[in-house]
Amino acid sequence: MDPNKNTREEFTNDIVSRPIPEFASPDWKKYVQRSQVLLDKLAHHTAMAPNLHQPYMTPANSKNKVYFEWDFVGRTLSMFYALNPTLQGLTKQEKEKWQDAIGRTTFTKMLILDTTPGMLNMMTETTYPDQRGAHPDFGEEILELARHLDD
């Protein structure tokens, strides 16, 4: 895919439709499947509408917390895909990448579920000052997916 031509929706569809190998370890499979579903829901959240049909490398029209999480979950999913799905014979560096990806998954859960006032809101406002006070709700479906990301 060409990040200068293909849209965020096309990138999302590509990453969430990758098949899970039969031989994948149960842990790898669990984290990848749950991340795929969450990424798809984030991509199709109404707050992503201004961004979804832009080329991937074009600065987002709305850099809200849904966009932030979509980007974060997509990058985390790419980390999982970079590893051997069996999780066998991993090098020290690959084991560290696995732990980093699990940590990012836990962090995703924390950021989505933390709503009072929310670290994600503060992070978004610090990075994108124009988002101050503009915090779309994730909705119950995304909140429920986040609750079960790492159990």
Side-chain angles (χ1 to χ4, degrees):
M1 301 203 93
D2 182 344
N4 292 305
K5 292 181 182 176
N6 294 96
T7 66
R8 289 183 182 92
E9 183 171 43
E10 290 169 321
F11 269 88
T12 300
N13 290 341
D14 177 64
I15 199 167
V16 302
S17 65
R18 292 184 187 173
I20 304 292
E22 267 185 48
F23 55 84
S25 81
D27 281 341
W28 188 92
K29 182 178 181 177
K30 172 184 75 171
Y31 281 105
V32 168
Q33 285 179 325
R34 291 175 184 182
S35 295
Q36 285 176 327
V37 173
L38 179 60
L39 184 66
D40 188 58
K41 294 298 179 190
L42 289 166
H44 295 97
H45 186 284
T46 55
M48 273 293 288
N51 306 321
L52 198 56
H53 299 289
Q54 291 180 286
Y56 184 86
M57 292 301 291
T58 301
N61 283 325
S62 179
K63 295 175 180 160
N64 57 63
K65 70 182 188 180
V66 176
Y67 169 78
F68 178 86
E69 278 303 316
W70 168 83
D71 184 64
F72 194 76
V73 172
R75 291 175 192 277
T76 303
L77 192 50
S78 293
M79 291 171 71
F80 285 123
Y81 286 142
L83 297 167
N84 178 344
T86 66
L87 300 178
Q88 299 297 311
L90 299 180
T91 65
K92 181 181 179 201
Q93 185 179 18
E94 290 169 328
K95 288 177 185 175
E96 288 172 1
K97 185 178 273 189
W98 169 251
Q99 289 304 314
D100 285 348
I102 290 172
R104 287 172 64 99
T105 301
T106 302
F107 192 50
T108 295
K109 176 181 179 175
M110 184 191 79
L111 289 175
I112 290 174
L113 297 178
D114 178 22
T115 58
T116 57
M119 184 185 299
L120 183 54
N121 291 349
M122 292 185 296
M123 290 170 62
T124 304
E125 289 179 1
T126 300
T127 308
Y128 311 113
D130 63 313
Q131 291 297 313
R132 195 165 312 280
H135 305 294
D137 290 329
F138 282 111
E140 191 53 41
E141 190 172 14
I142 289 174
L143 293 174
E144 188 62 23
L145 290 168
R147 285 183 192 103
H148 300 287
L149 268 178
D150 62 355
D151 56 78

